[in-house]
Amino acid sequence: MFACHFFQWRPSAARKPWQLGRFLPPVWERCQTWSCEGLSTSARQGQQAAVQDKQVSGGLEMPFAMRETETLFQEQPEVGNQYLEDALLRSYLKTHLPPKVQEEVSRDLEKFGNRLLTEIKPLAWECELNPPVFRQYDAWGQRLDHIITCLAWRRMKEIAAEEGLIAEAYERRYSNWSRVHQAIKLYLFSNYSGGFSCPLAMTDGAAKVIESLGIPGSLKNAFDHLTSRDSKKFWTSGQWMTERRGGSDVANGTETVARKQPDGAYHLYGFKWFTSAADSDVTLTLARIADAQGHVKQGSGGLSLFFLKVRDEEGKLNNIKVQRLKDKLGTRQMATAELWLDGAKAELIAAEGRGVASISSMLNITRIHNVIGAVASMRRMISLSREYALKRVAFGKLLKDHPLHMQTIARMEVQTRGAFLLLMEIVRLLGLVETNLANEQDQLLLRLLIPVAKLYTGKQASAVVVEAMECFGGQGYMEDTGLPVIVRDTLVLSIWEGTTNILSLDVLRSLTKSQGQALAVFSSTVQRKLELASSIEKLEPAVKLMQDAISSLVQLIQRAGSKGAVTMELAARDFSYSLARIYAGALLIEHAARPDSSSMDVSAARSTSIYLLDIILMRKSLIRKLPIAEEKQQQKKDSWNIILQRASSNRIKNGKRQERSRFLNTSYPTFC
């Protein structure tokens, strides 16, 4: 997908491990690249590997029994303080944050990076090895419904409070930059969290909903607990929306009923089919309020938003029964359950019938957390892949001496850098909105970019982590390396909080609702980001291709939009991908246009050229196919109609008359 400008030495050049420093381009310096310490280790490793290979090749001298017990000896790839080693992250903070804020935030992040290595990383592995256990009954048949989590999981909750992973965003010590500070801490925490990032996402979302409601008196105590830095007071929240009939389609899938009680509270009755972080303290959920006759209103207009505590003051479940824990592909460290609400006491916290609108701010926050997790998993796997390339010998030389191997890593690096800058752009805009510093254009852009970034980085992360796992060969497939854990936990990111298709349609809704203003803001913002770079000679080709990509995208929208809703829906996915790629490319170019940009920044920006050319070609191809698709759709419809008519006619001739409408009213397959 990308043109790689990172590595310019010749494959045929003879290199030895101790001469490596001469051949490394400056973009791979340590703190996003290599260290002198790493190079000396590589030399020793290469020599050790050569000796081992020689021993094995002369295997006749080695007793067969001893050779049978030989095991792999390979130095483990290790990374240091992830904040100090992430040059892109540090350069972003230096560029955008006010100097005093940048100094304080950097100090906190460096300290947190050290804590991740010394304390939090071992806890994460313990969470993986000790997943939650469900104990439904005691030895005497009494129902317990206990979800038992390990000590490390509970310690993660304490650390989250101590580090202010939720509080930071709501204290607003740094005004609009507080969200950026929080997002970076969550980004660093994600791959060391042992799955605890998920309950933090929902906790952040719940706090945001309460804040958006004006923090009513009845919820003030809950808000204080959700945003507390005191580990003894800190609460986590769930988000119980998915039911048996659907996940994203909450309007038609929600069956839970709320019955009002004489004291003004509500009792909820229903089955929640997928409740993440089932061990949380509180939750937000949707239900339909029953009237005096027991009738409920269907559709989204019948849904209302409720707050409930999972346990009462005595620690007993709030009329909630746990049916079972989910057996998931990944995120096994976290308890996800099926729950029966059998009269659970709850509080209506928003206007009746406004549940979907009220909980939308929670969905925006959890989708941003999804992007954080996606970018973090990509960065983690690439960092490990680079370190492994310094230590692993194959075909007589270290992996970093194989140009194709390093080109693969470079391409993943470009994708990850673009995704990171896209994430930072979203949280920057969110900070402006939360502190009333955003204008109308900022708000429109944020509304558009959240689903775009979520859908794209979710798919992007899955591809990158699998590619990075391949960089380790067979070792990448071994459970005890920890790499499969990262892969499994990443795969959920394209599903949770809306699948790719669902979010692609959400992107179209945001454009329709704004009557095209969101797309106009998107285009003008990209153009502004390109202005500075347009005068820099080495970035001119990338800028030109970016402008061509925007023009091509506009043509697609005009052509598809004129053909009706069905055609626009067919193009929604490609359109959303294009928005993500164009904006991420513009951010890479903008970052490379800084006066103090590094060679890595420039190389990444220039590498978007083929990336954007691919968009242009895809757009032209799709525009040509639109009339063909419509023609084929009509042909299939006509063919289907003929087949059904013949089938109906044959039945009549054979005396087996059946109701023709049952066949003729059959819906036609949609061409796609």
Side-chain angles (χ1 to χ4, degrees):
M1 292 173 65
F2 306 103
C4 182
H5 302 281
F6 289 18
F7 311 103
Q8 301 172 359
W9 64 91
R10 295 188 305 275
S12 59
R15 305 180 195 89
K16 296 176 181 170
W18 53 86
Q19 297 174 325
L20 175 62
R22 294 170 44 203
F23 297 96
L24 285 176
V27 298
W28 291 103
E29 295 170 358
R30 185 69 180 219
C31 290
Q32 190 78 7
T33 55
W34 322 114
S35 70
C36 294
E37 179 183 355
L39 295 178
S40 62
T41 300
S42 302
R44 290 194 303 272
Q45 184 64 31
Q47 292 165 351
Q48 290 171 358
V51 172
Q52 289 173 2
D53 288 345
K54 194 170 182 179
Q55 288 177 342
V56 173
S57 64
L60 292 176
E61 302 175 8
M62 185 181 298
F64 182 74
M66 182 178 294
R67 282 188 281 124
E68 270 194 321
T69 59
E70 281 292 298
T71 59
L72 171 72
F73 175 77
Q74 175 63 51
E75 189 175 352
Q76 180 179 351
E78 291 283 2
V79 293
N81 185 312
Q82 285 294 275
Y83 171 67
L84 295 179
E85 293 189 355
D86 197 329
L88 176 63
L89 167 56
R90 290 184 293 108
S91 67
Y92 177 88
L93 295 178
K94 183 179 179 182
T95 300
H96 293 276
L97 268 60
K100 185 177 180 182
V101 174
Q102 190 265 338
E103 182 181 349
E104 292 183 18
V105 166
S106 294
R107 214 166 28 239
D108 178 57
L109 294 175
E110 182 177 352
K111 181 180 176 183
F112 185 51
N114 289 330
R115 190 178 189 184
L116 287 168
L117 288 175
T118 58
E119 180 183 359
I120 300 174
K121 182 180 177 182
L123 293 174
W125 190 241
E126 189 177 336
C127 289
E128 175 65 23
L129 297 177
N130 299 281
V133 176
F134 176 43
R135 188 182 178 199
Q136 193 166 29
Y137 296 95
D138 69 10
W140 309 103
Q142 297 297 315
R143 185 149 186 170
L144 300 175
D145 283 357
H146 283 178
I147 297 174
I148 303 168
T149 56
C150 66
L151 288 173
W153 178 263
R154 299 195 288 277
R155 179 60 186 143
M156 285 292 191
K157 181 179 180 181
E158 296 173 351
I159 291 171
E162 294 164 2
E163 291 291 340
L165 296 183
I166 303 300
E168 191 63 56
Y170 297 92
E171 294 169 347
R172 301 201 171 96
R173 291 186 296 165
Y174 305 121
S175 184
N176 56 298
W177 296 110
S178 291
R179 269 293 177 188
V180 171
H181 184 198
Q182 181 215 27
I184 293 172
K185 292 195 79 169
L186 289 167
Y187 163 72
L188 296 174
F189 180 66
S190 182
N191 283 306
Y192 296 94
S193 71
F196 206 80
S197 290
C198 184
L200 289 181
M202 294 181 289
T203 301
D204 196 356
K208 183 62 181 175
V209 169
I210 295 173
E211 184 182 58
S212 69
L213 295 172
I215 315 180
S218 61
L219 295 176
K220 178 65 166 62
N221 182 57
F223 182 80
D224 290 344
H225 279 284
L226 293 170
T227 59
S228 177
R229 286 181 180 265
D230 187 338
S231 60
K232 294 188 171 90
K233 295 179 180 179
F234 180 58
W235 285 354
T236 57
S237 175
Q239 174 187 306
W240 298 355
M241 294 178 64
T242 303
E243 301 194 9
R244 288 175 292 190
R245 291 174 57 187
S248 298
D249 187 11
V250 294
N252 298 305
T254 303
E255 300 173 308
T256 300
V257 173
R259 295 195 174 98
K260 192 171 185 177
Q261 304 302 305
D263 63 355
Y266 287 82
H267 287 179
L268 304 187
Y269 299 85
F271 182 67
K272 296 297 182 179
W273 186 80
F274 196 97
T275 59
S276 294
D279 61 324
S280 292
D281 303 279
V282 297
T283 190
L284 298 185
T285 190
L286 296 174
R288 302 184 189 278
I289 296 178
D291 60 21
Q293 288 73 40
H295 300 144
V296 297
K297 183 179 179 181
Q298 297 301 318
S300 61
L303 293 174
S304 300
L305 181 61
F306 293 87
F307 168 86
L308 65 88
K309 292 182 179 179
V310 176
R311 296 181 179 274
D312 60 22
E313 300 300 328
E314 297 178 359
K316 296 179 180 179
L317 287 173
N318 176 14
N319 293 320
I320 299 169
K321 294 180 180 178
V322 183
Q323 178 155 297
R324 63 169 177 165
L325 294 185
K326 294 289 193 180
D327 187 9
K328 300 170 293 180
L329 171 66
T331 63
R332 298 174 181 174
Q333 315 94 326
M334 176 186 63
T336 302
E338 296 176 4
L339 303 178
W340 283 102
L341 307 184
D342 189 18
K345 187 176 180 180
E347 177 186 350
L348 178 67
I349 62 173
E352 184 175 338
R354 295 284 297 167
V356 174
S358 301
I359 207 169
S360 62
S361 56
M362 183 179 205
L363 299 181
N364 284 335
I365 294 297
T366 52
R367 285 172 178 174
I368 292 173
H369 277 255
N370 204 95
V371 178
I372 292 172
V375 180
S377 64
M378 289 189 278
R379 172 53 64 207
R380 174 70 173 163
M381 288 294 279
I382 291 173
S383 296
L384 290 170
S385 298
R386 284 209 310 261
E387 289 299 314
Y388 192 64
L390 283 169
K391 300 176 180 180
R392 179 65 172 169
V393 174
F395 300 101
K397 55 186 178 182
L398 293 163
L399 290 180
K400 56 101 188 139
D401 287 328
H402 292 274
L404 182 59
H405 184 82
M406 298 311 296
Q407 182 191 63
T408 301
I409 295 178
R411 288 174 172 173
M412 293 189 291
E413 175 68 27
V414 174
Q415 293 192 57
T416 303
R417 291 170 73 89
F420 173 81
L421 293 173
L422 184 58
L423 166 63
M424 289 295 100
E425 180 78 347
I426 290 172
V427 294
R428 182 188 69 82
L429 291 170
L430 178 62
L432 292 174
V433 170
E434 290 183 327
T435 52
N436 298 316
L437 297 175
N439 55 34
E440 184 181 359
Q441 288 73 28
D442 293 330
Q443 296 178 43
L444 286 170
L445 190 58
L446 179 62
R447 169 68 181 89
L448 177 62
L449 287 181
I450 288 176
V452 164
K454 191 278 174 188
L455 72 87
Y456 189 68
T457 59
K459 297 294 279 190
Q460 193 180 32
S462 296
V464 168
V465 298
V466 170
E467 184 73 76
M469 182 171 69
E470 193 175 329
C471 291
F472 295 87
Q475 273 297 91
Y477 204 63
M478 300 297 106
E479 281 289 346
D480 54 1
T481 64
L483 299 172
V485 176
I486 300 175
V487 173
R488 283 197 303 268
D489 290 354
T490 299
L491 294 178
V492 75
L493 298 175
S494 63
I495 300 173
W496 193 55
E497 296 306 337
T499 61
T500 307
N501 284 349
I502 291 294
L503 289 169
S504 296
L505 297 177
D506 190 33
V507 170
L508 293 187
R509 278 193 295 272
S510 71
L511 296 178
T512 302
K513 190 174 181 180
S514 69
Q515 298 180 332
Q517 290 183 349
L519 188 59
V521 170
F522 176 92
S523 180
S524 62
T525 303
V526 170
Q527 294 290 358
R528 281 200 307 272
K529 292 183 181 300
L530 299 178
E531 286 177 3
L532 179 61
S534 62
S535 60
I536 301 176
E537 183 178 356
K538 54 190 173 184
L539 295 177
E540 282 182 3
V543 171
K544 176 64 169 60
L545 277 172
M546 178 69 69
Q547 292 168 340
D548 290 343
I550 296 171
S551 175
S552 181
L553 186 64
V554 171
Q555 291 177 31
L556 171 71
I557 291 300
Q558 292 173 344
R559 185 67 181 273
S562 66
K563 299 296 181 180
V566 173
T567 303
M568 195 65 213
E569 183 174 325
L570 289 173
R573 191 179 176 113
D574 286 336
F575 171 64
S576 299
Y577 282 0
S578 298
L579 290 177
R581 289 169 174 167
I582 287 172
Y583 207 90
L587 291 169
L588 285 169
I589 293 171
E590 179 189 43
H591 193 73
R594 295 172 300 120
D596 59 344
S597 64
S598 68
S599 57
M600 181 71 154
D601 297 327
V602 174
S603 294
R606 293 177 62 189
S607 294
T608 62
S609 56
I610 297 300
Y611 189 29
L612 296 173
L613 182 60
D614 181 61
I615 294 174
I616 297 169
L617 295 175
M618 182 171 62
R619 296 287 69 75
K620 291 180 179 178
S621 174
L622 188 56
I623 288 173
R624 287 196 301 268
K625 289 179 180 178
L626 284 176
I628 300 173
E630 292 160 4
E631 181 181 350
K632 287 186 176 181
Q633 185 174 0
Q634 185 61 44
Q635 289 174 355
K636 292 194 76 174
K637 184 173 181 178
D638 293 341
S639 299
W640 189 243
N641 200 5
I642 292 170
I643 291 169
L644 292 173
Q645 287 175 348
R646 286 178 178 174
S648 181
S649 176
N650 288 336
R651 283 175 174 77
I652 293 171
K653 289 179 180 179
N654 294 333
K656 299 178 180 178
R657 295 180 179 271
Q658 298 183 14
E659 188 179 356
R660 295 184 67 188
S661 61
R662 184 164 66 88
F663 298 97
L664 298 179
N665 291 337
T666 302
S667 59
Y668 303 105
T670 301
F671 175 82
C672 57

